[in-house]
Amino acid sequence: MLIPLVQAIGRSGKLLYLIVFVVLGVIAYKYFTSEKTTATTEYNTELIQQQIKNVGKLVVTEGHFSQVMTYKDQQKYMMDLISFEKKALIIINADVTVAYDLRQIQYDIDEKNKTITIVGIPKEEIKISPDIQFYDVEQSTMNPFTGDDYNKINKKVKADLAKKIEKSSLKSNAKNRLVSELAKVLILTNSMGWMLQYNGVVVKSDKELELKIVP
């Protein structure tokens, strides 16, 4: 009677040790697994932020435009019986830049859902730097060229160039460069199992970047 009882207690003790060992093993596994997940999430977040920082630069596309125009102005006196005309042949060479300052890009990172959301992309900045040369200038003492004439010419030149820029491929080329830079973030997020979205819509390809993100 005594021997079976001792054996039972012995077996119970071994079982108790086994249960304690299993419980401790489960706790240790969850602890180390949890720490590893947190570390991985932090690493991914830092990597994404670094990539956005690398993309955050001034993207500039340059172009050159030329045009020739004739400027005329006439001053009339004595009920238009007498007039004094001034005119000039004007040759314009202009350097134009279209730039995106990606240092101003706005974004949010959702670590829990592994999502990066682009909140805002800066609008392109167009800079026109014309070089205006006057030829065959004709003027009179009664109607000379003045600062007002130069201001009018400069305003018209920039307006004409703005129309040419809209019809050219300069802005589309600048947008292509913008998409190329943002695609670096898309590639990184996809490779890590994260999502990139804009205006609540998930972006999955370069084409979608061009259609949905580029202003």
Side-chain angles (χ1 to χ4, degrees):
M1 181 73 178
L2 184 58
I3 293 175
L5 181 61
V6 172
Q7 291 176 341
I9 293 174
R11 287 195 297 268
S12 299
K14 291 180 181 178
L15 181 60
L16 181 60
Y17 283 127
L18 180 60
I19 292 173
V20 171
F21 178 78
V22 171
V23 171
L24 290 176
V26 171
I27 294 174
Y29 173 78
K30 289 186 176 181
Y31 174 78
F32 288 112
T33 302
S34 177
E35 287 295 312
K36 184 177 180 181
T37 302
T38 302
T40 302
T41 301
E42 291 177 352
Y43 172 77
N44 288 342
T45 302
E46 291 176 359
L47 195 59
I48 291 173
Q49 289 176 328
Q50 183 61 44
Q51 181 62 67
I52 295 175
K53 184 178 179 180
N54 292 340
V55 169
K57 60 184 178 182
L58 191 63
V59 178
V60 182
T61 302
E62 299 178 337
H64 184 83
F65 295 86
S66 298
Q67 72 177 75
V68 178
M69 63 178 287
T70 300
Y71 178 80
K72 292 182 180 181
D73 179 77
Q74 194 175 58
Q75 295 289 342
K76 296 181 178 181
Y77 300 91
M78 298 179 64
M79 300 182 65
D80 298 343
L81 293 176
I82 300 176
S83 64
F84 299 93
E85 185 180 71
K86 59 185 171 186
K87 63 180 180 179
L89 179 68
I90 302 171
I91 297 178
I92 304 103
N93 287 290
D95 291 321
V96 179
T97 60
V98 180
Y100 288 96
D101 190 353
L102 296 184
R103 292 168 294 191
Q104 299 178 14
I105 192 170
Q106 300 174 343
Y107 64 94
D108 287 328
I109 294 180
D110 184 350
E111 297 180 3
K112 181 179 179 181
N113 296 309
K114 294 185 177 181
T115 302
I116 176 171
T117 302
I118 295 179
V119 179
I121 298 174
K123 185 176 176 57
E124 78 274 7
E125 301 171 5
I126 301 176
K127 183 179 179 182
I128 303 174
S129 303
D131 176 31
I132 302 174
Q133 300 290 332
F134 289 77
Y135 296 90
D136 299 330
V137 177
E138 297 180 13
Q139 59 183 333
S140 67
T141 305
M142 297 298 295
N143 189 16
F145 274 92
T146 65
D148 187 52
D149 292 303
Y150 294 115
N151 289 335
K152 288 180 180 178
I153 292 169
N154 191 56
K155 185 176 181 180
K156 177 172 175 51
V157 165
K158 288 191 174 182
D160 291 344
L161 287 172
K163 292 178 181 179
K164 284 189 174 184
I165 292 170
E166 288 297 325
K167 294 180 181 179
S168 73
S169 60
L170 188 62
K171 290 182 69 175
S172 61
N173 290 341
K175 287 183 178 181
N176 289 337
R177 290 194 60 191
L178 173 62
V179 170
S180 178
E181 291 298 323
L182 294 177
K184 296 176 183 178
V185 179
L186 175 63
I187 293 171
L188 181 63
T189 53
N190 286 345
S191 67
M192 296 190 308
W194 283 52
M195 292 186 298
L196 178 67
Q197 67 176 13
Y198 180 68
N199 281 344
V201 179
V202 176
V203 180
K204 299 180 180 179
S205 66
D206 293 4
K207 188 63 177 178
E208 290 183 357
L209 273 174
E210 184 178 357
L211 294 176
K212 298 178 181 178
I213 292 185
V214 179

